[in-house]
Every structure is written in structure tokens, then in C-alpha cells.
């Protein structure tokens, strides 16, 4: 069954602890970090992760939309991230490889993400290191955008790459997920769906998480 990762980017930050509690029936908690350089927005970072770690037992799925992520991956691991995903576009190839190795050396899951304009093949050189392959279905930086039409094809390519390698790597999709696009993603072979605005604006968040799982 597909896993659902509520993204707290769409939560009410004045009561973040309660908001996290309200999505506890999810499988992961998605934590978007933006630096204002790699993407044109700034979100939250290390102190917020540290504050949230004790208030949820869900695995923390940290999505780093930052340049030169190697400078930060170990600190996110040490403050409670369970999965740390960096962008393949965020640094030189050798630095990306080293960032993934450092995440794994901390005993955490390592992920690599591609923006909508980056082909899945850009991840192939790192494929043996990956526990998560994150396909962006919107330009990273903001919640509430529309799912891009080329996403299902990229999800299918990512799923095929994982099958070819025979490794235990998730195919995660982030951006524009609602009931309809969730179905497209599941059919294309996604194993994790990130959803922010759709879940947080739902009257019954637990019910919405069930709908997104498609059961
Ligand atoms: C966008 C973030 C997403 C965001 C998704 O850059 O990576 O995780 O929260 O938001 P929705 O589900 O509203 O598209
Ligand atoms: Zn994200």
C-alpha cells in the first residue's frame, strides 16, 4: 500500500504541535526545508525539527531544498530526521554523492530528488545509494500548486529504475497531490505520496489520508 506523508508546510504554524498530532494516521511526516537560494522561498529548519521530534512518533521525512546540502545533512540526521532527501541539482556530482554517503553513515535513509525539468536519469549514477527517489510534480518552493502533466511518466521511469536495480527504494511524489492525482501516481508506481494543502484543508484529515491511500 502507498504511504502518505503529510507536509507541514501547509499547517497552521501558530499551533504546530496540534497540527502534527492531527495527521498522526499518516505514514511519514514531510518536513520541507528551503534556503531562499535553491528555491525562491524560505521555510523552517533545524530548530523546528528539533522541537517537533518529541511530539510525533512518525518517521521524519526531511526534504532539503537547499544549495550545498552536504553542509547540513548530518545536523538534520542528528536532530531526528529518519529520511534526508537532497536535490540532484543542488551541488556538483561528487558533493551530492558525499552528502548521500554521510546520511547513510548516520544510519538514516538517503534520498535524491529531481525538479520537474530534470530527467530521472540524472539520479542513475547514485542509484545504488538511494533509499528514496523523490519526483517533484511542481516547481519546488511553494505549497498549493497544480500537479504537472509530465509527472506520471517520470514516476513510471523512477519505478522502472528501482525495479531494474532490485533495491528497496521508495518512489516518492511531492506537489499537487489530491484524490485524482494520487490515483495517477499510484497507478504509475509511486510508493510514497506527499500532500500538504489537500490534507490540511480537509475537514477530516484522517479520512483524507485514507482516500489518498486509495483504500
Ligand atoms: C513544495 C514542497 C511540498 C509542498 C507540497 O516545494 O516540497 O512538500 O508542501 O504542497 P502541496 O501538497 O500543497 O502541493
Ligand atoms: Zn517537499
Amino acid at each position: 500500500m502507498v504511504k502518505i506523508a503529510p507536509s507541514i508546510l501547509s499547517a497552521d504554524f501558530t499551533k504546530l504541535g496540534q497540527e502534527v498530532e492531527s495527521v498522526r494516521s499518516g505514514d511519514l511526516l514531510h518536513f520541507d526545508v528551503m534556503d531562499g537560494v535553491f528555491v525562491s522561498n524560505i521555510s523552517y529548519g533545524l530548530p523546528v525539527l528539533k522541537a517537533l521530534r518529541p511530539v510525533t512518533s512518525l518517521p521524519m521525512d526531511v526534504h532539503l531544498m537547499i544549495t550545498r546540502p552536504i553542509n547540513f545533512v548530518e545536523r538534520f540526521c542528528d536532530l531526528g530526521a529518519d529520511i534526508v532527501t537532497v536535490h540532484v541539482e543542488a551541488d556538483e556530482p561528487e558533493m551530492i554523492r558525499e552528502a548521500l554517503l554521510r546520511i547513510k553513515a548516520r544510519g538514516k535513509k538517503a534520498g535524491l530528488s529531481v525538479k520537474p525539468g530534470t530527467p530521472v536519469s540524472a539520479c542513475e549514477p547514485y542509484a545504488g545509494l538511494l533509499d528514496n527517489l523523490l519526483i517533484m510534480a511542481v516547481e519546488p518552493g511553494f505549497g498549493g500548486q497544480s500537479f504537472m502533466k509530465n509527472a506520471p511518466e517520470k514516476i513510471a521511469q523512477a519505478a522502472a529504475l528501482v525495479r531494474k536495480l532490485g533495491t528497496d527504494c521508495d518512489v516518492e511524489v511531492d506537489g499537487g497531490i489530491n484524490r485524482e492525482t494520487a490515483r495517477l501516481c499510484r497507478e504509475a508506481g509511486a510508493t510514497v505520496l506527499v500532500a500538504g494543502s489537500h490534507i490540511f484543508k480537509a475537514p477530516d484529515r484522517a479520512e483524507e489520508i485514507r482516500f489518498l491511500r486509495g483504500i
Side-chain angles (χ1 to χ4, degrees):
M1 191 182 26
V2 74
K3 289 172 267 190
I4 304 299
S7 169
I8 58 161
L9 190 62
S10 294
D12 179 345
F13 298 152
T14 66
K15 47 176 184 175
L16 199 46
Q18 289 162 251
E19 292 284 85
V20 165
E21 173 68 15
S22 77
V23 295
R24 67 181 183 283
S25 65
D27 301 284
L28 306 165
L29 195 69
H30 191 77
F31 190 89
D32 286 310
V33 181
M34 304 178 188
D35 66 353
V37 178
F38 183 72
V39 292
S40 57
N41 198 6
I42 295 176
S43 56
Y44 35 70
L46 294 161
V48 179
L49 180 69
K50 186 178 178 192
L52 288 181
R53 185 61 287 180
V55 308
T56 178
S57 54
L58 290 181
M60 281 285 186
D61 177 32
V62 174
H63 176 195
L64 295 182
M65 287 164 274
I66 64 174
T67 48
R68 193 136 285 199
I70 192 171
N71 289 342
F72 284 94
V73 291
E74 285 158 317
R75 277 183 275 176
F76 279 100
C77 289
D78 294 346
L79 287 178
D82 297 283
I83 306 160
V84 179
T85 296
V86 303
H87 267 266
V88 71
E89 308 91 350
D91 209 337
E92 300 302 320
E94 62 275 19
M95 301 297 266
I96 294 295
R97 175 175 296 277
E98 183 59 26
L100 295 170
L101 288 169
R102 288 189 192 185
I103 297 165
K104 294 184 82 73
R106 284 290 206 267
K108 309 295 181 152
K109 292 187 173 179
L112 198 56
S113 182
V114 286
K115 292 188 195 182
T118 304
V120 172
S121 60
C123 298
E124 279 197 42
Y126 315 93
L129 295 172
L130 301 182
D131 302 295
N132 190 35
L133 188 45
L134 172 55
I135 307 299
M136 290 305 300
V138 298
E139 283 300 335
F142 299 89
Q145 303 181 75
S146 298
F147 187 84
M148 288 186 170
K149 287 196 168 50
N150 72 343
E153 190 188 339
K154 290 180 75 179
I155 295 162
Q157 289 166 356
L161 175 62
V162 169
R163 268 198 308 278
K164 187 174 88 183
L165 291 164
T167 59
D168 185 18
C169 176
D170 275 308
V171 176
E172 183 174 33
V173 187
D174 187 359
I177 297 294
N178 55 36
R179 292 184 194 185
E180 174 57 17
T181 58
R183 184 180 61 76
L184 297 175
C185 293
R186 293 192 306 267
E187 288 172 1
T191 61
V192 182
L193 304 180
V194 176
S197 49
H198 185 70
I199 289 178
F200 280 95
K201 73 177 184 216
D204 182 339
R205 294 170 181 174
E207 182 187 59
E208 205 51 48
I209 288 168
R210 280 197 299 277
F211 272 119
L212 295 180
R213 286 194 183 109
I215 51 164

